[in-house]
Amino acid sequence: MACVARTLSIPFLLALFFVAEVSGSMNVESYKPAGAEGSVPLKECPAKCKIRCSATSHKKPCNFYCNYCCKRCMCVPSGTVGNKEECPCYNNLKTQDGKPKCP
């Protein structure tokens, strides 16, 4: 009887250890939905801003300010206009005149 209990307890303990390792390695705070602050790595800012500024005729200033805002907030709203509620930091950056800084 003791031998059966011992052979059953080893796989159970291994499974328990595995579950503890996997659950401990999952950092819930690292998950960022698309468009959320911190969801864009710095190296992806130029590509995201190219999409964001694709519909404007003022591409150079749009890309400049978009990249500035992306590097600061680590996010770019989806689409070419609007959707700034996805990224409050991006939305809240203002010029000295109180106008939106980020395209």
Side-chain angles (χ1 to χ4, degrees), residues 19-54:
V19 169
E21 279 295 311
V22 170
S23 64
S25 67
M26 293 177 67
N27 186 355
V28 176
E29 292 181 27
S30 67
Y31 171 74
K32 303 282 185 189
E37 290 180 33
S39 67
V40 177
L42 291 178
K43 64 182 180 182
E44 291 182 21
C45 285
K48 297 284 185 181
C49 287
K50 186 175 182 182
I51 294 168
R52 181 75 178 170
C53 296
S54 64

Side-chain angles (χ1 to χ4, degrees), residues 32-40 48 74-78 83 86-88:
K32 303 282 185 189
E37 290 180 33
S39 67
V40 177
K48 297 284 185 181
M74 297 181 69
C75 67
V76 176
S78 60
N83 303 319
E86 295 174 354
C87 184

Side-chain angles (χ1 to χ4, degrees), residues 38-74:
S39 67
V40 177
L42 291 178
K43 64 182 180 182
E44 291 182 21
C45 285
K48 297 284 185 181
C49 287
K50 186 175 182 182
I51 294 168
R52 181 75 178 170
C53 296
S54 64
T56 185
S57 59
H58 306 287
K59 293 201 185 332
K60 191 171 182 175
C62 181
N63 273 301
F64 176 82
Y65 285 107
C66 180
N67 276 287
Y68 170 83
C69 296
C70 180
K71 288 174 183 168
R72 188 121 180 239
C73 300
M74 297 181 69

